[in-house]
Amino acid sequence: MQGIESILYGIGIAGVAAQAAAGVLDAGRKPFDMFGIVVVALAASLGGGSLRDVLLDRTVFWIADQSYLIAAMIAGLATFLLVRRVRLPARLFLLPDAIGLALFTVSGTQAALAMGAPWLVASLMGVITGVFGGIVRDVLCNEVPLVFNGELYATASWLGALLLLGLMAHGLSPGWAALAGGMTTLLLRLCAIRFRWRLPVFRARV
């Protein structure tokens, strides 16, 4: 169990760093100063896990362990300094965002399981952890959140979480199940971006 906890802790730190970088790259398209950029990065990287912990009635993860906060700040500032020196593609933020989505889906699902949540609740906690920070990021950047009108996003997260839970229910170790769930989420999200996979869009008849 100690090994699994270490793996999940590393996944959480990596997810925070990836989403902080994505937040900076997204906010960098707006005329924000460094303070604004850092606020967006922190909201993107910590928002989903914070909501998950409030819903599960547990201490918010970055308050219980400030390493997550430090990782978010370092990743955000490092990305900020990088983009000031190197011109990057406008949609580059989608790559670290996809990585963060996969990592947070795994860590959120496992965190809910550790609190004794049933499988459906655990899968939705994985989705919330994965997507809510991106929603806050996009709102702060005055953009329509990707999860509402972009390529498969929350769907990729949920399928990855369900796969993780299904594999564990059939006896696969939590580590391998987490790897399979995370890779499924990441590959689905990247394929959705590449091939424009979307859910049907609502259009009212007039």
Side-chain angles (χ1 to χ4, degrees):
M1 288 299 295
Q2 187 65 34
I4 294 301
E5 290 177 358
S6 299
I7 292 173
L8 294 178
Y9 183 76
I11 288 173
I13 293 291
V16 163
Q19 286 290 18
V24 172
L25 292 172
D26 192 17
R29 300 181 297 171
K30 305 290 183 177
F32 292 169
D33 62 14
M34 187 170 69
F35 176 77
I37 294 286
V38 171
V39 168
V40 173
L42 293 179
S45 58
L46 305 178
S50 298
L51 178 59
R52 174 203 65 211
D53 290 342
V54 169
L55 292 173
L56 292 174
D57 194 25
R58 54 178 269 181
T59 305
V60 175
F61 71 107
W62 56 271
I63 294 177
D65 184 352
Q66 67 176 0
S67 298
Y68 294 100
L69 181 60
I70 293 172
M73 295 180 68
I74 291 175
L77 289 172
T79 307
F80 176 79
L81 294 174
L82 174 64
V83 297
R84 284 176 59 85
R85 294 178 175 272
V86 181
R87 187 175 183 85
L88 300 174
R91 287 171 59 87
L92 182 63
F93 79 95
L94 293 175
L95 178 58
D97 179 70
I99 295 171
L101 175 68
L103 294 171
F104 276 163
T105 296
V106 169
S107 64
T109 304
Q110 295 281 25
L113 288 176
M115 293 295 292
W119 69 269
L120 182 57
V121 172
S123 69
L124 294 178
M125 288 299 107
V127 175
I128 287 172
T129 308
V131 308
F132 187 73
I135 293 174
V136 177
R137 175 200 68 211
D138 291 340
V139 169
L140 291 174
C141 292
N142 197 29
E143 302 281 353
V144 177
L146 284 174
V147 68
F148 295 152
N149 72 344
E151 298 84 4
L152 295 183
Y153 196 99
T155 304
S157 174
W158 196 32
L159 291 175
L162 290 174
L163 177 63
L164 184 159
L165 292 165
L167 292 174
M168 288 183 61
H170 284 81
L172 192 65
S173 69
W176 285 110
L179 177 62
M183 288 302 298
T184 297
T185 299
L186 177 60
L187 291 175
L188 281 174
R189 176 61 180 146
L190 293 178
C191 287
I193 295 170
R194 174 64 178 84
F195 300 109
R196 303 291 184 180
W197 293 347
R198 297 171 178 261
L199 294 177
V201 176
F202 174 78
R203 290 185 175 88
R205 296 184 178 181
V206 294

